[in-house]
Amino acid sequence: MGKILQETTRDNGLNIKRVSTPIGSLLAIFEARPNVASDIAALAIKSGNVSILRCGSDCINSAKIIAEIYREALEICDVNKNAVIIVPEIEREYVIELLKMDNYIDVVVPRGGKSLIKAVIENTRIPVFKHLDGNCHTYIHEKCDFDKARKIVFNAKMRRTGICGATESLLIDKKISKRILPLIARDLTSSGCEIRGDKESCEIDKKIKLADEQDFYTEFLDKIISVKIVKDLDEAIKHIAIYGSSHTESIITEDKKSATEFLQRVNSAIVMHNTSTQFADGGEFGLGAEVGISTGKIHARGPVGLEQL
């Protein structure tokens, strides 16, 4: 708090400073990961915010203990212990009431699956740090390094399939598709990954199943990936604009001009070059812990950590 972000003295004698201040009160709604209680409480305290924690039945007992440790520590440090509050009731009606409290709560941070985040958005007028889907894309450009592309794609899909930064859709340039797709298909299928592709990719490799339209919109969170053969960079960017969720996209290429164009034109919170989408994380970026990744365009975009709060 109190960090001077920008300062200038105007010709009329006014000295203008833009100073960082807390948002206010954060409502964090999460499901089954008790560590979220600690992460959000810590970030809120450090950024001068109040955190109201509401978790699901799976982790309520652990979260209560974690919150109580924070409250005891705050008292020891002569800080109002109500800077961290946990809602002990797990029933849905309590969440609905909290989401109506726009006079008291400044932002909602939902941490969970698409159904949770969608329910929050539909039931509140409070601003939300959100991402509904992590339908992340990796685009293999015609001027890629084949060995590098194979390693990055395998990591992007298979390292952890159930996280929001996992690649769910693979786009491959038509000029190299017949040479590189069989190699990638072998890498993925040998590790149990199902590939669902367009007609052209199915003709290239028989291990690929024919995809339907919905597959290209889907965040699988499993050992499943969609594949599309595209004619060039423009078509790859257009495909991402139509089917993507504005989370994380990556281009694999040794051509700096094409990489720059991709980074500038793709309208997602995180855009990468020669990098696995699994790196989409505040800690990996050196930004510290985060309360989540925001795909919105107001205030914070990408990892929401200390500076954003």
Side-chain angles (χ1 to χ4, degrees):
M1 291 186 295
K3 181 180 178 182
I4 297 173
L5 306 175
Q6 184 178 333
E7 182 175 8
T8 183
T9 299
R10 305 288 298 148
D11 292 341
N12 58 13
L14 291 176
N15 178 242
I16 310 296
K17 295 179 183 178
R18 178 177 293 159
V19 182
S20 62
T21 58
I23 292 173
S25 55
L26 318 177
L27 170 60
I29 301 173
F30 53 101
E31 294 171 326
R33 291 170 56 191
N35 66 291
V36 173
S38 181
D39 292 348
I40 291 179
L43 283 167
I45 291 166
K46 196 169 184 181
S47 58
N49 292 289
V50 168
S51 58
I52 303 167
L53 309 171
R54 194 278 180 185
C55 65
S57 58
D58 287 345
C59 69
I60 184 63
N61 294 321
S62 298
K64 281 181 181 178
I65 293 169
I66 291 168
E68 194 54 42
I69 291 169
Y70 271 95
R71 288 167 63 83
E72 289 174 7
L74 287 167
E75 273 198 308
I76 291 169
C77 296
D78 293 324
V79 178
N80 189 331
K81 67 179 181 180
N82 290 322
V84 175
I85 297 170
I86 187 157
V87 180
E89 293 83 4
I90 58 173
E91 289 76 17
R92 178 180 170 83
E93 55 263 32
Y94 286 95
V95 178
I96 300 300
E97 288 303 312
L98 285 165
L99 292 174
K100 294 176 182 177
M101 298 174 68
D102 52 304
N103 285 336
Y104 305 100
I105 296 169
D106 295 295
V107 70
V108 183
V109 183
R111 288 287 298 268
K114 182 177 180 178
S115 59
L116 168 68
I117 297 168
K118 187 176 181 182
V120 167
I121 295 167
E122 291 174 350
N123 286 281
T124 193
R125 294 183 299 181
I126 305 169
V128 180
F129 286 148
K130 67 179 185 294
H131 71 265
L132 279 175
D133 293 277
N135 185 15
C136 304
H137 294 74
T138 296
Y139 167 50
I140 303 179
H141 184 254
E142 61 171 306
K143 295 181 180 178
C144 73
D145 177 302
F146 275 35
D147 185 55
K148 185 184 294 183
R150 289 174 66 182
K151 290 177 179 177
I152 290 173
V153 169
F154 188 82
N155 179 279
K157 179 66 228 180
M158 301 302 293
R159 174 184 164 269
R160 287 180 65 192
T161 58
I163 64 171
C164 61
T167 287
E168 305 288 16
S169 295
L170 178 63
L171 307 176
I172 301 179
D173 194 291
K174 184 179 178 69
K175 299 179 186 66
I176 59 168
S177 59
K178 290 182 180 179
R179 291 186 289 140
I180 197 168
L181 181 54
L183 301 174
I184 290 173
R186 186 177 66 197
D187 293 340
L188 293 175
T189 55
S190 64
S191 292
C193 183
E194 178 183 326
I195 305 174
R196 301 177 185 176
D198 61 351
K199 185 178 179 182
E200 192 170 350
S201 61
C202 290
E203 291 172 354
I204 293 172
D205 196 292
K206 300 304 179 185
K207 292 188 284 294
I208 300 173
K209 299 179 180 179
L210 185 63
D212 59 29
E213 182 79 1
Q214 189 57 40
D215 286 325
F216 294 109
Y217 287 105
T218 301
E219 179 186 26
F220 297 108
L221 299 175
D222 200 354
K223 291 183 178 181
I224 306 170
I225 192 170
S226 64
V227 177
K228 168 78 173 175
I229 307 300
V230 294
K231 65 179 181 180
D232 54 21
L233 179 66
D234 281 342
E235 188 176 348
I237 293 171
K238 183 178 179 181
H239 180 96
I240 292 169
I242 294 170
Y243 296 98
S245 61
S246 301
H247 194 291
T248 301
E249 331 297 344
S250 181
I251 182 173
I252 315 302
T253 184
E254 300 305 304
D255 182 63
K256 290 185 178 180
K257 182 180 178 181
S258 297
T260 300
E261 185 175 352
F262 184 89
L263 295 174
Q264 291 176 344
R265 289 178 57 197
V266 171
N267 188 18
S268 293
I270 302 169
V271 193
M272 301 175 162
H273 173 212
N274 285 349
T275 312
S276 166
T277 58
Q278 298 256 348
F279 276 103
D281 175 82
E284 294 287 356
F285 290 170
L287 303 175
E290 63 181 42
V291 300
I293 291 176
S294 172
T295 56
K297 296 183 180 181
I298 303 300
H299 176 62
R301 201 169 198 217
V304 179
L306 186 63
E307 184 178 335
Q308 290 71 35
L309 294 177

